[in-house]
Amino acid sequence: MVDRSLMHGSVTPLVTPFKNGHIDEAALERLVERQVEAGSHGISVGGTTGEPGTMSLEERKHLIELAVRFARGRVKVMAGTGTLRLDETLELTQFARRVGAAEALVITPYYIKPNQEGLYRFFGQVAASVPDMPVVLYNIPGRSGIEIKIPTVARLRREFKNINGLKHSSKDVEYVSELLRTVGRDFRVFCGLEALTFPMMAVGAVGTIAATANWLPKETAEMCELLLQGRYAEALELHYYGLEANDAVFWDTNPIPLKTVLSWMGLVEKEWREPLGPTTPEVEARLRKMAEGYGLLVAQAG
């Protein structure tokens, strides 16, 4: 049984809208409203999709504060607070707690490739700094270069009660089963690879943090809710419905495809931070065809 007092279901990792080099507050409010209206279970800011590595610490704080303000308690906010540095991660996480974020999503420090003892110490100090705030570990070996091993997660969970979740951005679904068998099936796992939401939730994950929900928030939330209720046949239809959109997120580096289509929808400017750059005309053509197929551009017709 999923503890619905904690974050679960479809937690949409929002893109960070920029305009003339700055956070576009009006666009962010539009994105949050769209998620609320579509029935998303929660939102997340400052994760991979939000380009945190290109933002200053003060910008990241401002983004978290804006998301909490715009959500107005209607959905919970999971704040991405991880950085390369422990001191900055502590500062961001404590700030997120103060301004009302419900949970912290803390990525494995990337590029450094710490060993498992280093990961234990890093995550442990973050958790200890906010003992009354749930902390979700972010396992993304493809971006960070290192995996959080299951014994390390088990050790952290034993010693820090507020470490009660993990976002798993890997094709290794077996990891989810082994993790839940080892640390307990009440530990919250969130799928971090869009197309694997169904299989990961089928073996015990409580939800997904899927970039596709920037495009298809209603359908992603409905699929998660059906899976939480054990209505697998109905959820399977939505799984297959969303496969092309899941793929399209990665036709170029995330979030370039997302922002390209969202700009056509009139929701954000077509702007990101360098070293990200515009995609090719060939990918844009594929994206337009995909978006038209899902009816995303209907509102822009004419």
Side-chain angles (χ1 to χ4, degrees):
M1 184 68 69
V2 175
D3 182 352
R4 289 182 178 253
S5 69
L6 297 170
M7 295 187 76
H8 61 278
S10 177
V11 180
T12 304
L14 295 179
V15 300
T16 301
F18 297 118
K19 186 173 183 179
N20 299 323
H22 303 285
I23 295 173
D24 187 341
E25 297 186 13
L28 181 64
E29 186 169 17
R30 285 195 296 271
L31 295 177
V32 172
E33 286 299 320
R34 185 165 177 264
Q35 295 298 323
V36 172
E37 292 171 4
S40 293
H41 297 83
I43 59 172
S44 179
V45 293
T48 304
T49 300
E51 303 172 66
T54 67
M55 299 170 67
S56 70
L57 207 61
E58 290 308 310
E59 285 179 315
R60 292 183 65 177
K61 287 180 179 179
H62 187 49
L63 179 67
I64 294 167
E65 192 170 26
L66 287 172
V68 172
R69 184 198 311 168
F70 295 150
R72 302 203 307 277
R74 295 170 296 170
V75 290
K76 292 181 178 180
V77 176
M78 182 183 288
T81 61
T83 77
L84 283 176
R85 293 174 46 161
L86 176 61
D87 60 342
E88 290 183 347
T89 302
L90 291 171
E91 184 177 341
L92 263 180
T93 305
Q94 292 166 3
F95 176 85
R97 176 190 170 278
R98 285 199 303 274
V99 299
E103 304 190 9
L105 176 66
V106 185
I107 194 170
T108 307
Y110 37 92
Y111 184 72
I112 297 171
K113 297 184 74 173
N115 60 26
Q116 295 299 304
E117 179 64 22
L119 290 178
Y120 165 79
R121 291 168 180 259
F122 179 87
F123 289 124
Q125 289 181 76
V126 174
S129 76
V130 287
D132 58 347
M133 184 184 201
V135 172
V136 177
L137 309 177
Y138 187 178
N139 186 46
I140 181 167
R143 293 247 188 182
S144 67
I146 191 74
E147 180 178 79
I148 312 171
K149 300 297 185 184
I150 290 172
T152 303
V153 180
R155 184 183 176 194
L156 285 163
R157 195 197 186 194
R158 283 195 306 271
E159 300 184 24
F160 302 95
K161 299 305 180 186
N162 57 325
I163 295 181
N164 54 21
L166 178 142
K167 177 182 176 181
H168 185 52
S169 295
S170 166
K171 292 182 178 180
D172 185 1
V173 179
E174 184 180 5
Y175 178 101
V176 177
S177 296
E178 288 299 317
L179 176 65
L180 293 174
R181 182 172 72 170
T182 301
V183 306
R185 287 168 61 184
D186 59 335
F187 189 73
R188 293 177 302 146
V189 174
F190 292 89
C191 177
L193 280 185
E194 287 66 15
L196 296 183
T197 295
F198 185 98
M200 283 195 194
M201 290 189 70
V203 298
V206 299
T208 190
I209 305 175
T212 315
N214 281 275
W215 289 333
L216 301 174
K218 181 174 182 289
E219 293 83 353
T220 307
E222 286 180 355
M223 181 177 70
C224 286
E225 189 59 42
L226 289 168
L227 285 163
L228 290 170
Q229 295 176 21
R231 295 161 63 182
Y232 294 105
E234 295 166 81
L236 190 60
E237 295 304 310
L238 285 168
H239 164 75
Y240 279 104
Y241 172 79
L243 281 184
E244 186 182 13
N246 291 334
D247 290 342
V249 170
F250 302 105
W251 286 347
D252 203 329
T253 303
N254 179 30
I256 295 170
L258 289 175
K259 284 189 164 181
T260 298
V261 175
L262 291 171
S263 72
W264 295 338
M265 297 169 67
L267 293 170
V268 303
E269 298 293 324
K270 194 175 178 181
E271 185 175 325
W272 35 73
R273 290 273 174 89
E274 292 182 352
L276 293 179
T279 194
T280 66
E282 292 78 12
V283 170
E284 282 212 358
R286 291 178 68 196
L287 285 170
R288 188 168 290 278
K289 184 176 179 181
M290 179 279 301
E292 289 172 346
Y294 281 103
L296 297 178
L297 307 184
V298 171
Q300 304 304 310

